[in-house]
Amino acid sequence: MVSVGDLPEELIARPQALVVLTGIDIVHNAEHLRIWDAFSNNRRPDRVPIQFKMLPGDHDYLKLKQKKTAYDWVIPKGILKTNWMRKHLHDVPAVVVVFFELDWDEQLWNERKQACATFVEVVRTALHGRQTRAAVVLIQKNAPLPPGEDVVAADRATQLCNACELSAKALFVLPNSDHLLGYVIRLENAFYELAQAYYHHESRVVKAHRDHLNKTTHALLFVRHQFKVAFYNELKQDSHTALKHYRQAYLHLHELRITDYNLLEIKTNSCIVNFKICKLCFEHNTPLDAISQFRRHVDIYKSKIGTADLAFEHSAWMSKQFAVFGDLFEEAIRAGLTAIQTQHPGFYYQEAARYAIARKQLCRGLCPAELKYPASDPLAEADKMEYYGQRPWRQGHQSLEAPSVQKEREGIQALQYRECQVDHSWLVIPLLSSAIAQFKKYKSPRMKRYLVVQMGEEYYHAKDYSKALALLGRVTWEYRSERWWSILTNILQLSLRCAYLVMSFEEYVTVSIELMGRYAQVPREEKIRIQMNLHKIFQDEVPEPEHGCEHDSVEKGRALWTTISAGGKSRSPIVVEMNSITAFVECKACFTADSFLCESPVTVKLGLHSFAPMPIRFSQLSVRFSNEAYNQFGIVVDENAVDDPIESTSYLKPGQTLWHTFQFIVEQDDVDCNLSIAGVDLVLGSLEGCCATLRWTDGGGDAIVHPFATQVHRKKVALNADFSVVSWDVLPSNYSTHISPREANLDVQLLQKGPALVNEFYLMTVSITNTEVAQISNVRTSISVVTAVADAVATAQPNTFLYEDIDLPCSQLISMPLLEELKPNQKVDNVAYVRCVDSGARLMCIQVSYQIPIDISGKMSMCNCMKEITSSIEVCEPFNITVSLTNMKVC
């Protein structure tokens, strides 16, 4: 049975003239098959809109009804007949074309002529007096001569037309040549003209009935006749005239008197006519007219609900109106129409989904679950309706009262029963999917997210919990980052139900952790229940079912959890990315200084703040650094008894902050480098059994709500402050620090007796005195030449050369011999030579590096130190020669 608001297939298809080809034998004649393929295949848009059918000559066409001579006693039983459009699209041809093999030079001309005339007469008899145009196509072996040159052909053509009672314009010749397609296209154009003449005649016949009608008793016929005239004009491809008559038909519909018994018929026919009007407006590239017509259509009928017990039918009808218009709008866009962000098909698909949801809600309220289908089967004739929109148990009834109250009651009961069998969610989901695609296309992210949530809810109602969970998970991040806490809470609660019903361990734990947080707007009792379920999961027990789930789904979900728990195997550990959710526990880790000397221990403070309703214990806490070698210093393992939480370092109490301090010595390779906190891991559950690792990147913090490490927070709270007395929300999160080298205690001097002369091997003495309190080792000294610093870059002087000894090659950088050890206050001198090829100042750079044992927190460690000094040397010319001319005379 067709649902309320559904459009018939013949209404949706583009009307095309029906032309029947007869006399073609495609089974036994290859040439006939070639002709049929040329007509029927490759129907490109540039060819005339004709639908070709191949039928035998004696095919029994639909009989023509007896014409009414007067309408005085005619009382219409309905508005539009269900078979009328289908009849004129597929059954009643506008033109019947007889193909007949006959050449002009046929020796048995008279016999073949008479055979052709007989064939045409058989076709006319089969049409039962219809005004269908008849035409004859002669299949000939030779191409015809130009007009006027073949006298025999002209004479015999006249004889054939007289014998077949055809006009000369209905006789055609189809030569058997290589240019068959060209001849076929010319024939199509001729057939198209004949079809247009036929439909024009039929529309005039219908218009002639108007003089016999009156609006008192024939109001329905005014609608029917205008629709027929419009449809005939569509068949003849006169869409503007068709639109005018469709509009007139719609106005006549609006004038009809509406009762509860004819409302569905009026709405159904209005839907059909409105579809035609909107479709033609889009085809005429007048989208504003289509939108205006649709809005007027909806405004007229949105309040006309009809029988209260069938209110869901009205919602179904309204949903279909919006969905159909959305399809028309989208089709027009594909054809080249440009839509905008505030007016596109997505809004209509969304409204269609909204009415479909309202239909589901009305069904639940109006249709009892124990409803039974009536024994009389009032919907038995639903597929054989004569008129659109009428009830099967009172077809053709147009009075103001129901013919039978009992049948009316049983009919309503049957419709309610049928509505109960509909899975409404699968009607809503495609509409929401179409709306989401449109809002995504026109860049409306918030509307898209809103519809995704609705789609997830419908998948939940359809018991496809896995898809519901996946859809809801796609939008939680946006609602979380924009702080829509009430919406986020509802989404998370629905996600928790889905995760329980499909036994998704990872999703169930992740959502539970977030619902226990401070931003989840759920009662404390609910948070306690969630926490208890979470505790059961980590103990390999079955959690309690979530509230609001259907009983049969709960039983299936519980069976899944029980199967896993009874298997004796713990679930695989999971990792929860905490920076992407607002969890019940927050973490902040920071270095206590912006920089540390390599001779002092690096200190990290880490705080864990719980917003859970009850205390909770973790199994292990670990801090990860950019250098993994230090990870071993940032681990806390719960070693206390479960029943001794007071002294435990792994016990989080509600509303309190648990602080941990970590210290370690950096390696010498990290001196003068940055060290950062890569992340923090907190393990809930048993390390040997079921557990979940809560993982923060960097130093943690509530990255979604309060971006950490901001300058405002850094100014408010010092890094070395007592964090235990500072509010949690303003705590700094300094997760990066610099390891500074130890200051060198050496006396380094460059001894010289200047100035140096150009090209002189100038002697320099580097004096090093150990002023450290301990012996140093591995003393390395280097000398280089640099010019004045420009733009913070020191460059070497190309015309200055350094020598370790006069006999050795020159270099831009020389290294002194390694000194293995140097005792406190011991002094050592190193010499080197410099040669400059021009005058000017030279800047010498001396670097001395060494190692010294130092005590760091009771542990001796070798520390690298370096001292760097610069000293200037003046270079001048050794001689100044002056020449002066005193006399110009030659002796």
Side-chain angles (χ1 to χ4, degrees), residues 305-363:
I305 299 174
T307 306
D309 292 335
L310 299 176
F312 54 82
E313 274 193 341
H314 176 72
S315 295
W317 185 84
M318 290 293 293
S319 174
K320 197 64 181 181
Q321 302 310 295
F322 281 98
V324 167
F325 187 78
D327 291 339
L328 286 175
F329 203 166
E330 188 175 6
E331 183 182 348
I333 292 172
R334 287 197 296 266
L337 179 67
T338 302
I340 58 177
Q341 192 180 41
T342 57
Q343 187 64 258
H344 59 77
F347 291 103
Y348 300 96
Y349 289 131
Q350 181 194 4
E351 280 296 297
R354 186 175 70 85
Y355 275 105
I357 294 172
R359 172 187 178 182
K360 176 175 64 176
Q361 295 169 347
L362 287 170
C363 175

Side-chain angles (χ1 to χ4, degrees), residues 777-781 815-821 830 849:
S777 60
N778 297 326
V779 182
R780 291 179 171 85
T781 306
S815 298
M816 302 296 182
L818 173 66
L819 186 61
E820 294 184 357
E821 61 180 25
N830 293 310
S849 63

Side-chain angles (χ1 to χ4, degrees), residues 145-317:
L145 296 174
E149 296 185 9
D150 193 343
V151 180
V152 175
D155 180 57
R156 291 193 169 184
T158 303
Q159 296 178 26
L160 186 60
C161 289
N162 293 334
C164 296
E165 299 181 4
L166 292 173
S167 68
K169 293 183 178 181
L171 179 63
F172 307 96
V173 174
L174 179 59
N176 184 4
S177 66
D178 296 334
H179 304 289
L180 178 63
L181 183 61
Y183 286 108
V184 165
I185 291 176
R186 293 174 63 185
L187 286 175
E188 284 181 357
N189 294 329
F191 299 161
Y192 181 61
E193 292 179 3
L194 293 174
Q196 284 184 313
Y198 166 78
Y199 291 122
H200 178 70
H201 173 268
E202 292 297 306
S203 65
R204 293 191 62 179
V205 171
V206 176
K207 286 181 181 179
H209 296 319
R210 182 181 180 87
D211 298 336
H212 306 286
L213 304 180
N214 63 81
K215 288 193 175 183
T216 304
T217 56
H218 303 139
L220 305 182
L221 295 182
F222 278 90
V223 180
R224 186 190 302 175
H225 290 175
Q226 288 294 332
F227 183 87
K228 286 184 176 182
V229 172
F231 195 77
Y232 281 135
N233 278 279
E234 268 200 288
L235 286 169
K236 62 181 285 195
Q237 307 305 315
D238 186 358
S239 59
H240 288 86
T241 304
L243 178 60
K244 181 183 72 172
H245 288 284
Y246 281 132
R247 290 185 187 277
Q248 192 63 41
Y250 192 85
L251 291 177
H252 288 314
L253 271 170
H254 189 44
E255 295 172 357
L256 296 178
R257 182 179 178 181
I258 297 178
T259 65
D260 286 347
Y261 303 105
N262 70 352
L263 176 60
L264 180 61
E265 183 177 9
I266 293 176
K267 287 165 63 174
T268 301
N269 287 275
S270 297
C271 166
I272 292 173
V273 179
N274 175 73
F275 172 83
K276 283 292 189 180
I277 295 174
C278 295
K279 184 177 178 66
L280 291 177
C281 286
F282 279 124
E283 289 180 0
H284 296 164
N285 200 24
T286 55
L288 294 180
D289 291 346
I291 294 172
S292 176
Q293 163 63 27
F294 179 74
R295 287 178 176 174
R296 181 166 57 250
H297 174 65
V298 170
D299 289 341
I300 291 173
Y301 293 102
K302 66 181 179 181
S303 59
K304 294 178 171 55
I305 299 174
T307 306
D309 292 335
L310 299 176
F312 54 82
E313 274 193 341
H314 176 72
S315 295
W317 185 84

Side-chain angles (χ1 to χ4, degrees), residues 15 65 86 134 153 410 427 445 506 559 595 619 705 727 772 835 863:
K65 292 191 305 181
R86 182 170 59 253
E410 291 177 351
L427 299 177
E506 183 175 354
S595 64
S619 302
V705 183
S727 173
E772 295 279 6
R835 183 172 67 87
C863 181

Side-chain angles (χ1 to χ4, degrees), residues 512-646:
S512 297
I513 288 173
E514 190 160 11
L515 280 173
M516 291 163 55
R518 56 171 162 169
Y519 300 110
Q521 298 181 356
V522 296
R524 186 175 183 276
E525 294 75 12
E526 179 66 11
K527 290 186 177 182
I528 293 174
R529 188 191 65 82
I530 294 173
Q531 185 171 349
M532 293 301 295
N533 273 347
L534 198 61
H535 178 73
K536 288 183 178 181
I537 288 178
F538 291 136
Q539 297 298 321
D540 278 332
E541 298 178 7
V542 178
E544 294 297 323
E546 297 302 314
H547 300 317
C549 299
E550 294 187 7
H551 178 71
D552 56 342
S553 299
V554 168
E555 292 302 321
K556 293 179 182 178
R558 183 185 284 113
L560 293 173
W561 288 96
T562 304
T563 302
I564 297 297
S565 299
K569 295 182 179 180
S570 298
R571 302 177 183 89
S572 300
I574 63 170
V575 177
V576 181
E577 297 295 337
M578 301 295 284
N579 288 84
S580 60
I581 64 174
T582 54
F584 74 92
V585 57
E586 294 181 7
C587 167
K588 289 187 179 181
C590 69
F591 293 99
T592 56
D594 289 329
S595 64
F596 292 91
L597 292 175
C598 65
E599 57 184 331
S600 60
V602 175
T603 304
V604 176
K605 285 187 176 181
L606 186 145
L608 296 172
H609 193 89
S610 174
F611 297 95
M614 296 190 303
I616 193 168
R617 178 188 300 277
F618 61 88
S619 302
Q620 179 176 298
L621 172 67
S622 57
V623 183
R624 293 176 285 108
F625 296 93
S626 55
N627 187 340
E628 296 180 359
Y630 306 130
N631 290 354
Q632 57 182 318
F633 303 108
I635 298 177
V636 176
V637 180
D638 183 18
E639 298 177 350
N640 295 285
V642 177
D643 56 354
D644 185 21
I646 298 177

Side-chain angles (χ1 to χ4, degrees), residues 638-668:
D638 183 18
E639 298 177 350
N640 295 285
V642 177
D643 56 354
D644 185 21
I646 298 177
E647 300 297 331
S648 175
T649 58
S650 308
Y651 198 73
L652 291 176
K653 297 179 181 179
Q656 296 184 9
T657 304
L658 181 62
W659 287 101
H660 291 276
T661 302
F662 306 97
Q663 287 188 332
F664 55 89
I665 308 301
V666 296
E667 299 176 354
Q668 292 303 310

